[in-house]
Amino acid sequence: MELDHYSDYAVRLVNTEEPARGKDALTSVEAVRELFGANQQAARRATDADVTRFRSVRGRLRAVFEGAESGDETLAVDLLNSLLLEFPVSPQISGHDTRDQDGRPDWHMHLADHPSNVTAGYAAIAAMGLAFHLTSHGVDRLGLCEAAPCRNAYLDTSTNRSRRYCSDRCATRANVAAYRARKREEAERTGRTAEAAQPSTAATDV
């Protein structure tokens, strides 16, 4: 498994909140557990206390994306480095549960999960994954959806670094809104042109 795959942990956590809409899906221990996906062993260790801790980490991860989006690469890196220092990881070689086509262990790097609490474990994996993605693909590959008011985080993996939205749904919505705005502008411009072309009539006394 490529280590930058763990960057999905960061995106998953950041997108539990929609600040512009005032929505927050991270309100229970069940919501925390859902973030772990298939890693049910770690998820079972989550407690109510992790809800608040996860929210704190979420805000710091969003700040990394905001720094990247604003073009402040140094800020984004500094914020991510602070997370890496606070939540260190323990990389291990794994392969006992997967086999290649010849039946041999499919050795790969794995981030071990044995921190002091569930939040620390998740934060360590998310920060390290995001760090690998950033250093492998560039800071500008960390984005926030431009389809207001969405602002979900995403990782740009396009070949020409052209991604601007978190999903096809948001891209379609933004394109439709832009099309309608152009049509309104054209209609207003046509209306002004028509008014200007009308001959003026002066009132005359009888």
Side-chain angles (χ1 to χ4, degrees):
M1 179 183 294
E2 295 293 337
L3 288 180
D4 64 359
H5 168 81
Y6 288 110
S7 56
D8 288 341
Y9 277 62
V11 173
R12 207 179 304 160
L13 176 54
V14 170
N15 291 346
T16 59
E17 181 184 29
E18 297 181 73
R21 291 190 173 109
K23 293 183 178 181
D24 189 347
L26 197 58
T27 58
S28 66
V29 66
E30 287 76 17
V32 168
R33 288 171 178 160
E34 288 178 4
L35 290 168
F36 286 89
N39 190 355
Q40 293 303 307
Q41 183 176 354
R44 283 193 293 270
R45 294 169 44 218
T47 67
D48 290 331
D50 287 298
V51 176
T52 301
R53 291 194 288 253
F54 262 71
R55 285 178 171 177
S56 176
V57 172
R58 179 181 63 189
R60 294 170 66 182
L61 285 170
R62 176 172 282 277
V64 174
F65 280 90
E66 290 173 343
E69 185 200 34
S70 70
D72 195 337
E73 295 190 7
T74 301
L75 174 61
V77 170
D78 286 347
L79 291 171
L80 190 50
N81 272 336
S82 69
L83 284 165
L84 292 170
L85 288 172
E86 185 173 345
F87 303 105
V89 298
S90 299
Q92 290 181 348
I93 299 174
S94 180
H96 58 84
D97 55 348
T98 57
R99 299 283 172 173
D100 62 18
Q101 59 184 4
D102 297 321
R104 295 174 302 187
D106 183 15
W107 301 115
H108 58 275
M109 292 301 296
H110 174 74
L111 299 183
D113 181 28
H114 50 78
S116 57
N117 59 65
V118 170
T119 303
Y122 193 100
I125 292 173
M128 181 57 74
L130 201 57
F132 271 100
H133 191 92
L134 184 153
T135 53
S136 297
H137 306 290
V139 179
D140 59 340
R141 293 289 188 150
L142 278 57
L144 291 171
C145 187
E146 293 185 13
C150 177
R151 306 301 285 163
N152 272 351
Y154 65 85
L155 300 170
D156 185 0
T157 56
S158 63
T159 56
N160 58 355
R161 299 173 183 263
S162 60
R163 185 170 178 181
R164 298 166 56 202
Y165 307 105
C166 68
S167 64
D168 290 340
R169 179 181 179 182
C170 276
T172 299
R173 183 161 55 84
N175 289 334
V176 169
Y179 173 79
R180 289 175 177 171
R182 287 196 301 271
K183 285 298 182 182
R184 284 195 300 270
E185 185 179 344
E186 289 174 4
E188 292 173 359
R189 187 165 57 248
T190 301
R192 289 194 298 268
T193 302
E195 291 177 0
Q198 291 179 355
S200 58
T201 55
T204 56
D205 294 332
V206 178

